[in-house]
């Protein structure tokens, strides 16, 4: 520990974060959402879509909601109907022909048992994938940290695949397929392999499968397990988390507040969805990546440094409560200080070292400069090098590799190749230089870190005095105001009835 | 201005380290394996671009199927600099907030209504917020700060129809739209769609401010198109400041008004 | 080889992130003050080079009189890849030192004499030394290490006349010349002068090895010219290794000899 | 002192260097060269050239040598002739018509007196320029270190001037006009303003004057005195040093061995010339820059690191002996380790910090990567950034700014502009980070520095056992063998007669 932080202050920050999170966790425990219920159906084995591409899980959930409401969950009415009419989930059309009601008494018991059995099979698949990942990590080998994390984003899964494989060959340890701009606001998950996305490729179960298979091939070729990442985020967060578990994705972007702030999704919807999705991630052995880095694209990286730390402490708390272990908490932060200001790099070191010391066991995700990347690709290449240097000097775990063309377009093949050459040079040339990085006691670096930590404590104090929802409404994070009664997807939030039943949460919580 | 023009060099060429040397740098990827044949292909492309001589100073295999090249060379192309009909100076006076307020007050005698949004699936609001929010950009306050301007900032991922409806509802004088995502021409596509929707919604209009709101679009990568291509009244690009925009709106909607120094 | 050719893509284009997108990057300086007019000039040049659309992503004033630009865009140019008559494989077999020695011993039945130098005012000897000195290059030993090759390395800044005289004096089979400085075409100028001097010195010669020494020139930036342009027998460029050179000399002077696998 | 070097070892290295230098200094004391004698004439006020461009100083010196020999120096015969025929130096033609003899008795006394008076006027000009520099430093201000050092090299002084001014405006503190490739081997100094050089511009008195005047203009404009550098090197080292003093250049590339190793100039010629040129530099208040960096372009930067240190100690000794103060010793070294090898940057830090600690009061000249710069301008820009970082972290004094196109062409206007942006970012972003650079005791950095120092001592030991001339003959420096009886310009070396007279050395040594 190089910064000599006061353990008492750190403990105080954690206590405050827990207190701020508590009421929101209570909300999440007592509500469900349309996407949570659709995720249950997916775990139970419902796949595919109708002729217009509307997934059966949406058709079924909507029908149930209309006829029986969702306050008891989707499982009871659906499996009751299956029992009544002797149907199976492989035949959604006939199921939709049936009338949905909330069973009770013995019917309820039978529906519950059958639902639980079905969902248990889905969870078994997730368990099997987790074991399979372990096997492959043993077989191909697990790269040492920092992991090199690269994005592909052509919009066409069939262009993405060769580019992802090329990136892996050039040294990428993690491949993220970023999503088409619009997807986060879709209240359904598209089906099948897709070839036309904007600035990203749609997240679909089939695209997940294709890319994971392609990466398994290179992993074998390279003797190094290459991880795959996508986004459990937006209105379908719970379902995408589920699909990730079912297709053996390895990491997922998953934040307790990102959707609220950057996609104007209703706060309560998001908090309910993130809890379920994290329970799934915990079970699947998936590492989540949180999105604090994004705050610094709308707020100033110096003024708002403490909001990043506060949010990380909240993400940690929500994560732990949902069953995630420290090794699964890829807390996010970023190198976004304006390069025009004095001491910018030294301040970045202070911030990065602070996060490292606050979360010693978390696989921190460190994001490269984006906001201050311009059309000057040379300046960009330089800034990315200093980001790489900060990452290595402060022992970050997951380095998202910056592109010199960040200010211009989504990465080209050559941008990625040059970016990897950049980080390869920095790692090789610097070696164990972190041994010689010893912040002077009472010096600029140490003082800056101390200041950010104390600002964090003050902020969390204020949040506790009002409430997290109020803080979000007042634009505390990412200088964006999001009131709890506004935002997309609010109508998809349902309060539990006393007899609410969710076989997935039941299994996940009893085994947790 | 004319004196200006006379003094402008007529014909110019790129400059490496000597006047007239015409030197440029180029880089690109070719979908072929690295080797002498690939380097010959790179030279061929460079010559196609007008580099002669063209020197392939760097070639790197990117996997088995692609090669990245950096080429330096001299181009013969001449630029008719004097012939470029872009004015040296400003097209319209840059006004201070108080001048803008005064113009609106004196001429319109009511507040000027502006509606802003990121349309389509674009969620990059930092740019439009930089123009609209009080906070502003580059030290300048945004339009919300202007007493005589009424701002409706609809935020991100706004459907075109919703934008038109809202613009009508509040009787917008100007509609400000931001497009930052350009992949697959998204920004051009969305903007044209938006312009079309306004034409349909105001069938009798003869132009911006004449029967329909002034249509202003902005974003960092619009420099490949002209307003007429898109059917809008003005495009703003990289580094635009709020005052630029406010001044243009006054210039376009209140042409009769002149700031008295 | 032919099967090879058939499988080669016929027509290719630059690749950004999608097959056929034709995207390239360009940078250059224009001798004009920064401003909208300068940016228009930059687009004009880019279009002249075939970029359409051309996006000026960066423009920076360098003092009052110059502006630096970075431009991205799509070029329409097609490369006739199949039509490029550069062989996919090697032109001549790459030999090991012992194979080279064997060839010389069996056929010439005497040591092969090589004279090397940096001519003109060029003092960059690292390149020629990499080829000649025992130390060699990239892990390969240089020609001095070859038992059957007699090397005379004259070093730097050797006058052409001195080179010719020396070559005659020692009965050189091959003359190896290095040119690294290329500013103002120095390398081309010096090499032509050298080639001319040898033609004059060996009036009856009909070619390299036929009445005059084989003339081999090398340096990192010869890729804009061909041997015939310079009047030499071969040009070697970036990253040449000694074995490449030794093998070529055998191939050119002892064509009858073939290594038996 | 961060490396905890053993003072005893450092002292030992200095003693050995002094011992190795002694015999060579003796050689230099007892010999003169044609260029030394021509320098005397230049100090005495001889300027201009004949119709074919041969400088009068060459014509006169050659005539004297032919008719009277140079073992008594050029001054006695020349001023004797002037006395005899009542001529003045403004009329070289008539002087050349005269017959040159070595005077003695009263004639010798008169010749000596007049010669000394004439040369004293030249030295007075040098003194005046030194005072003028001080005045302008006070007036415009002296930039703080590290000084940003940039080269211009168009070959045309009239293209160089605007480029130098542009560079100064963008932040350059020192401008070096590099010379045309051939000049170092010319045994005369060209005359007048020149517009056609190869990869550099000729060093002439007029070019010096034009550029210094142009830089004085920008210095005023910028409120910062911009220094001018050229090369007192090659066969005319003493004359160019003299012209530098006469035209108020501020720094000069000037090395005790560079000409021997990299231009195949005879060792004795070089050692004699360097002593005189350094006596002039000492008087002129000029900072010299030595050329050890060049060794690493022909030798490997790791294997040969100790040869750089050994050479610096020799340059220091020769410099001190010639009257240079520590603040005038811009000892050179470079960032030339192969970027492909592990720990390359950490090793560079070790080397740079070692030099810094060995020569605490010397204005060290730190050279950027050149040898490993390829056609990959992005990799080049990155490597230059790490060079800048090493320079700032280890407190180097003069940073020669690397060009991303080093592997391609002499710098373009835009290359220089980008290079300056690079170093500006690094300095601004890093601030006082050197406070946090604390090499771990016994760690890689410290151990590497210690190893290089001990290898240096061993090398100097061996040099003393044989002799410096032998060491040079054996290729100790820059892996290039240079025997003492070979190389260019040997015939221009003359042993002093007992009555040898040189008014310049006389004045310079008595005032020193
Ligand atoms: C910040 C940012 C984000 C933030 C946005 C937060 C927010 N609330 O805005 C977050 C992290 C959420 C984000 C997400 C994504 N982003 Co983003 N993002 C950026 C980034 C880093 C900076 C953009 C910015 O804020 N610039 C600062 C502002 C002030 O500049 P500006 O927008 O140009 O605006 C100025 C002018 O253009 C003009 N202007 C702009 N609009 C208007 C409107 C009017 C009327 C006027 C008059 C003037 C005007 O005035 C402004 C002030 O001068 C850029 C990279 C870069 N450095 O540019 C990528 C970038 C824009 N994003 C990109 C992408 C692909 C995405 C994602 C789609 C990636 C993904 N799939 O996850 C997502 C999804 C976003 C979506 N649905 O649209 C790409 C777009 C590629 C392309 N050219 O098509 C970029 C270029 C990065 C890259 N190289 O890949 N992003
Ligand atoms: C080392 C070096 C020096 C050293 C040279 C030491 C020496 N004894 O050689 C020193 C420091 C002395 C030096 C001085 C100068 N240099 Co210099 N130097 C370089 C540098 C950094 C590396 C060159 C090198 O050694 N490359 C490594 C070798 C192995 O590669 P190579 O030469 O390309 O050789 C390979 C192939 O080309 C081929 N090859 C080469 N020759 C031959 C010959 C034959 C027969 C064959 C078969 C193959 C072959 O095989 C070799 C192995 O693969 C380059 C920059 C760079 N990174 O390239 C500048 C560079 C070459 N130098 C340059 C200049 C301008 C100079 C100076 C003129 C500057 C000055 N005025 O002070 C001086 C004067 C030199 C002179 N009179 O010629 C410029 C040339 C610009 C141009 N394109 O015209 C360069 C490019 C730097 C720059 N960007 O300005 N330099
Ligand atoms: C947590 C999180 N979710 C999602 C995204 C991607 O944005 P979108 O919601 O458009 O997929 C990000 C962007 O970095 C993120 O950090
Ligand atoms: C001491 C010294 N002299 C001279 C030069 C320049 O070479 P040239 O002798 O060709 O001027 C250098 C090159 O860096 C040098 O270090």
């Amino acid at each position: 520990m190089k910064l000599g932080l006061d353990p008492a202050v750190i403990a105080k920050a954690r206590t405050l974060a827990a207190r701020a999170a508590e009421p929101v966790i209570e909300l999440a425990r007592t509500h469900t959402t349309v996407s949570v219920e659709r995720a249950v159906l997916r775990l139970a084995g419902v796949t595919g879509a109708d002729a217009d591409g509307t997934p059966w899980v949406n058709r079924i959930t909507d029908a149930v909601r209309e006829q029986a409401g969702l306050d008891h969950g989707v499982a009871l009415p659906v499996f009751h109907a299956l029992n009544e009419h002797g149907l199976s989930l492989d035949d959604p059309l006939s199921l939709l022909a049936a009338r949905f009601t909330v069973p009770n008494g013995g019917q309820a018991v039978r529906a519950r048992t059958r639902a639980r059995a079905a969902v248990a099979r889905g969870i078994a698949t997730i368990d099997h994938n987790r074991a399979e990942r372990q096997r492959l990590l043993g077989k191909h080998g697990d790269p040492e940290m920092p992991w090199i994390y690269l994005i592909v984003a052509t919009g066409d899964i069939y262009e993405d695949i060769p580019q992802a494989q090329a990136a892996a060959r050039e040294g990428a340890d993690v491949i993220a397929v970023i999503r088409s701009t619009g997807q986060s606001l879709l209240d359904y998950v598209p089906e099948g392999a897709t070839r036309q996305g904007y600035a990203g490729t749609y997240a679909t179960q089939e695209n997940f499968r294709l890319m994971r298979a392609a990466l398994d091939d290179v992993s074998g070729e390279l003797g190094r397990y290459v991880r795959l990442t996508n986004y459990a985020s937006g209105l379908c967060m719970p379902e995408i988390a589920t699909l990730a578990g079912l297709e053996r994705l390895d990491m997922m972007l998953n934040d307790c507040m990102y959707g609220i702030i950057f996609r104007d999704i209703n706060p309560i919807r998001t908090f309910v969805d993130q809890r379920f999705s994290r329970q799934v991630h915990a079970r699947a052995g998936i590492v989540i990546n949180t999105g604090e880095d994004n705050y610094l694209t709308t707020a100033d990286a110096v003024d708002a440094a403490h909001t990043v730390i506060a949010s990380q402490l909240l993400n940690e708390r929500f994560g732990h409560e949902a069953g995630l272990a420290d090794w699964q908490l890829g807390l996010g932060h970023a190198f976004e200080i304006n390069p025009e200001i004095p001491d910018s790099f030294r301040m970045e070191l202070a911030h990065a070292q602070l996060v490292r010391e606050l979360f010693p066991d978390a696989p921190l995700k460190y994001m490269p400069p984006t906001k201050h990347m311009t059309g000057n690709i040379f300046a960009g290449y330089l800034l990315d090098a200093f980001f790489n240097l900060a990452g290595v000097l402060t022992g970050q775990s997951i380095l998202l590799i910056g592109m010199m063309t960040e200010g211009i377009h989504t990465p080209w093949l050559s941008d990625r190749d040059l970016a990897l050459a950049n980080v390869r040079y920095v790692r090789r040339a610097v070696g164990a230089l972190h041994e010689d990085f010893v912040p002077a006691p009472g010096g600029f670096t140490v003082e800056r870190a101390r200041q950010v930590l104390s600002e964090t404590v003050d902020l969390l104090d204020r949040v506790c005095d009002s409430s997290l929802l109020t803080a979000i409404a007042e634009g505390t994070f990412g200088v964006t105001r999001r009131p709890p009664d506004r935002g997309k997807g609010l109508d998809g939030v349902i309060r539990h009835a006393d007899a609410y039943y969710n076989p997935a949460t039941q299994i996940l919580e009893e085994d947790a | 201005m004319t004196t200006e023009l006379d003094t402008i060099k007529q014909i110019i060429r790129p400059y490496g380290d000597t006047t007239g040397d015409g030197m440029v740098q180029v880089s690109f990827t070719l979908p072929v394996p690295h080797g002498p044949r690939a380097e010959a292909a790179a030279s061929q492309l460079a010559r196609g671009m007008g580099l002669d001589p063209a020197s392939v100073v760097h070639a790197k295999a990117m996997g088995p199927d692609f090669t990245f090249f950096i080429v330096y060379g001299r181009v013969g192309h001449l630029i008719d600099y004097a012939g470029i009909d872009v004015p040296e100076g400003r097209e319209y006076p840059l006004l201070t907030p108080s001048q803008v307020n005064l113009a609106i007050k004196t001429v319109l005698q009511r507040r000027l209504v502006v509606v802003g949004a990121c349309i389509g699936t674009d969620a990059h609001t930092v740019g439009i917020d930089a123009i609209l929010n009080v906070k502003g950009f580059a030290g300048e306050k945004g339009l919300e700060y202007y007493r005589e301007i009424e701002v409706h900032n609809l935020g991100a991922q706004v459907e075109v129809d919703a934008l038109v409806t809202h613009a009508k509802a509040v009787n917008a004088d100007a509609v400000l739209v931001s497009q930052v995502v350009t992949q697959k021409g998204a920004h051009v596509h969305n903007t044209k769609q938006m312009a079309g929707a306004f034409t349909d919604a105001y069938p009798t209009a003869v132009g911006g401010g004449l029967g329909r709101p002034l249509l202003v679009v902005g974003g960092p990568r619009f420099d490949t198109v002209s307003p007429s291509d898109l059917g809008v009244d003005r495009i703003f690009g990289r580094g635009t400041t709020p005052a630029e925009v406010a001044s243009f709106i006054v210039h376009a909607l209140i042409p009769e008004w002149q700031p008295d120094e």
Side-chain angles (χ1 to χ4, degrees), chain A, chain B:
Chain A
M1 296 300 160
K2 299 176 166 180
L3 297 171
L5 300 168
D6 177 348
V9 180
I10 300 179
K12 173 146 192 234
R14 281 210 159 76
T15 325
L16 290 168
R19 188 164 353 126
E22 204 40 46
V24 172
I25 293 171
E26 189 45 37
L27 262 180
R29 282 217 196 79
T30 55
H31 292 72
T32 186
T33 74
V34 287
S35 184
V36 167
E37 299 304 323
R38 295 193 299 251
V40 172
L41 292 179
R42 290 184 182 275
L43 282 169
V46 180
T47 60
D50 67 15
D52 327 336
T54 308
W56 293 119
V57 292
N58 288 63
R59 294 281 308 275
I60 297 169
T61 310
D62 295 350
V64 169
R65 183 173 195 180
E66 196 182 303
Q67 300 164 30
L70 284 174
D71 56 347
H72 288 73
V74 79
L76 285 174
V78 165
F79 283 87
H80 175 56
L82 293 176
N83 289 337
E84 289 300 287
H85 310 81
L87 296 168
S88 100
L89 283 174
D90 318 340
D91 177 8
L93 262 182
S94 334
L95 174 60
L96 282 164
R99 174 128 194 71
F100 294 107
T101 57
V102 178
N104 31 32
Q107 297 180 319
V109 176
R110 274 194 302 287
R112 221 185 262 107
T113 325
R114 183 166 172 190
R116 179 175 170 121
V119 168
R121 278 192 296 280
I123 290 175
T125 311
I126 289 177
D127 293 339
H128 165 271
N129 284 336
R130 180 175 184 160
E132 177 64 4
R133 183 188 300 114
Q134 283 313 320
R135 192 181 69 77
L136 293 172
L137 280 168
K139 181 171 169 223
H140 302 317
D142 192 2
E144 67 180 32
M145 292 181 159
W147 292 338
I148 303 307
Y149 177 124
L150 272 182
I151 65 175
V152 295
T154 69
D156 177 344
I157 188 68
Y158 294 106
E159 293 275 353
D160 287 343
I161 285 173
Q163 295 206 10
Q165 292 180 318
R169 291 192 186 96
E170 290 289 317
D173 300 310
V174 181
I175 298 291
V177 181
I178 64 176
R179 297 192 297 177
S180 180
T181 50
Q183 183 165 11
S184 49
L185 298 187
L186 299 180
D187 210 345
Y188 67 91
V189 181
E191 277 287 323
T194 67
R195 308 201 60 166
Q196 178 61 283
Y198 282 115
T201 305
Y202 285 97
T204 74
Q205 182 162 13
E206 178 61 6
N207 288 347
F208 284 5
R209 197 185 60 71
L210 287 167
M211 184 58 85
R212 184 58 267 173
L215 292 184
D216 283 341
D217 293 346
V218 268
S219 298
E221 173 190 327
L222 299 171
R224 163 167 60 87
Y225 184 77
V226 180
R227 288 176 166 79
L228 176 59
T229 300
N230 208 291
Y231 300 81
S233 195
L235 288 171
C236 294
M237 186 191 281
E239 293 169 86
I240 295 185
T242 304
L243 296 176
L246 292 171
E247 298 300 337
R248 196 182 11 106
L249 268 63
D250 307 282
M251 307 209 297
M252 296 298 281
L253 276 278
N254 179 253
D255 192 274
C256 61
M257 298 189 286
Y258 171 89
I260 301 169
I261 295 157
F262 294 95
R263 293 295 172 267
D264 196 10
I265 294 173
N266 172 267
I268 306 181
R269 167 76 176 252
T270 299
F271 282 119
V272 177
D273 284 346
Q274 62 88 30
R275 182 166 187 266
F276 181 91
S277 62
R278 287 174 177 202
Q279 291 179 315
V280 174
H281 288 139
R283 180 75 173 221
I286 286 174
V287 170
I288 67 161
N289 289 180
T290 63
E292 284 82 2
D293 45 283
N294 299 289
Y295 301 164
L296 305 182
T297 65
T298 49
D300 178 79
V302 175
D303 308 345
H306 61 292
T307 66
V308 167
I309 308 290
S311 173
Q312 289 169 328
L313 288 161
L314 290 167
N315 262 309
E316 177 189 50
R317 173 69 194 120
F318 286 120
H320 282 160
E321 191 279 331
L324 289 166
D326 282 339
W327 67 267
Q328 292 178 291
L329 292 175
L331 300 172
H333 60 127
F335 185 102
E336 289 281 20
I337 297 175
N338 181 349
E340 295 301 321
I341 71 170
D343 298 305
S344 59
F345 181 68
R346 212 172 169 196
M347 240 183 292
E348 296 283 11
L349 286 175
H351 295 178
Q353 186 65 29
L354 172 61
V355 177
R356 180 70 286 171
E357 297 191 9
L358 287 177
F359 307 98
D361 303 320
L364 301 177
K365 176 197 74 165
Y366 195 34
M367 296 283 287
T370 63
K371 184 182 185 175
H372 297 287
M373 297 291 276
T374 66
N376 183 344
I377 54 180
F378 300 103
Y381 203 65
L382 172 53
L383 204 58
D384 283 333
F386 274 71
F387 160 76
N388 292 332
L389 178 60
V392 175
L393 282 183
T394 60
Q396 302 300 314
S397 318
I398 303 169
L399 285 189
L400 200 132
I401 299 310
M403 300 290 144
M404 68 183 190
T405 53
E406 168 69 25
I408 306 168
H409 51 233
T410 46
W412 289 0
L413 188 67
S414 55
D415 296 332
R416 219 177 277 114
D417 194 75
L418 282 163
L420 283 163
N422 187 325
V423 69
R424 273 201 308 272
Y425 166 75
V426 173
R427 285 178 80 169
R428 190 173 58 236
V430 158
L433 184 62
H434 60 82
E435 293 168 0
D436 302 347
F437 172 57
V438 185
F444 180 95
T445 313
V446 166
E447 283 316 307
R448 174 62 190 168
R450 198 164 284 158
Q451 179 196 359
V452 173
L453 180 56
S454 72
E455 287 173 1
T456 306
V457 170
D458 300 347
L459 171 60
L460 287 169
D461 235 337
R462 270 178 277 120
V463 171
C464 289
D465 291 349
S466 54
S467 89
L468 182 52
L469 290 174
T470 320
I472 293 170
E474 286 166 351
T476 304
F477 303 100
V479 291
T480 311
R481 305 176 186 283
R482 302 298 191 194
D485 57 350
R486 295 264 306 286
K488 297 154 182 126
L490 174 54
D491 63 346
V493 180
I494 303 101
R495 195 170 216 318
H496 291 173
D498 300 345
Y500 172 77
Y501 179 64
N502 182 327
T505 35
Q506 185 184 47
I507 296 172
L508 294 170
E509 289 179 2
E510 67 195 17
D511 301 7
Chain B
M1 196 66 205
T2 36
T3 51
E4 251 282 20
L5 265 173
D6 304 342
T7 61
I8 290 178
K9 304 183 205 57
Q10 298 298 307
I11 299 293
I12 59 170
R13 295 166 134 239
Y15 179 103
D17 74 343
T18 315
T19 303
D21 62 19
M23 298 301 287
V24 304
Q25 173 270 332
V26 177
S27 78
F28 51 80
T29 296
L30 294 181
V32 294
H34 178 227
R37 190 187 190 88
E39 298 207 11
S43 310
Q44 190 186 103
L45 175 64
R47 279 194 306 277
M49 295 173 72
L51 278 70
D52 184 15
S55 181
V56 177
V57 300
H58 177 66
K60 170 168 185 306
M62 298 187 293
D65 309 321
F66 295 92
T67 311
F68 176 65
F69 296 95
I70 299 176
V71 183
Y72 276 80
R74 156 199 300 269
V75 292
H77 309 295
L78 301 175
I79 305 166
D80 173 7
Y81 192 60
I84 293 172
D85 67 352
V86 176
E88 279 291 305
R90 301 191 48 83
E91 275 172 85
Y92 54 87
L94 188 61
L95 308 177
T96 65
S98 41
Q99 286 174 311
V100 169
N101 289 329
L102 186 65
I104 299 171
K105 217 175 167 141
T106 19
V107 185
L108 286 193
Q109 295 177 1
R110 60 166 175 81
R111 293 179 80 200
L112 184 144
V113 181
V114 167
V115 172
C118 283
I119 60 169
T121 58
D122 202 325
H124 292 90
T125 54
V126 176
I128 183 89
D129 289 345
I131 303 300
L132 297 179
N133 291 2
V134 175
K135 186 172 165 218
F137 183 72
E140 274 184 22
K141 294 245 180 293
L143 302 195
E144 285 176 354
Y145 167 83
Y146 292 63
R147 208 179 341 89
E148 299 300 326
I149 300 183
E150 175 183 325
V151 174
H152 301 260
N153 186 345
L154 308 188
Q157 303 190 324
V158 176
E159 302 288 335
V160 165
D161 303 349
L163 177 64
V164 175
T165 319
H166 200 109
K168 288 199 139 177
V170 301
N171 257 310
D173 296 292
V175 172
L176 274 52
V177 160
S178 181
Q179 287 286 277
V180 173
V181 174
T182 63
Q183 208 197 32
K184 307 225 162 70
H187 59 316
V188 172
H189 170 271
N190 293 340
T191 308
K192 285 180 173 169
Q193 187 196 349
M194 181 272 296
F198 273 93
T199 324
D200 302 349
Y202 297 85
T204 63
V206 294
L210 306 166
R212 69 157 169 79
L214 192 68
L215 298 182
V216 177
V217 64
R221 305 280 166 241
F222 270 111
D223 55 355
T224 60
V225 288
S226 72
S228 50
D229 298 338
L230 300 174
V232 299
D233 299 305
R234 183 83 182 187
I235 298 172
F236 286 93
R238 280 179 282 127
T240 309
T241 65
E244 288 280 350
V245 182
S247 305
F248 171 74
I249 294 175
V250 169
H251 165 75
L253 295 181
I254 318 178
E256 58 272 41
W257 190 80
Q258 289 300 335
D260 35 26
E261 310 311 298

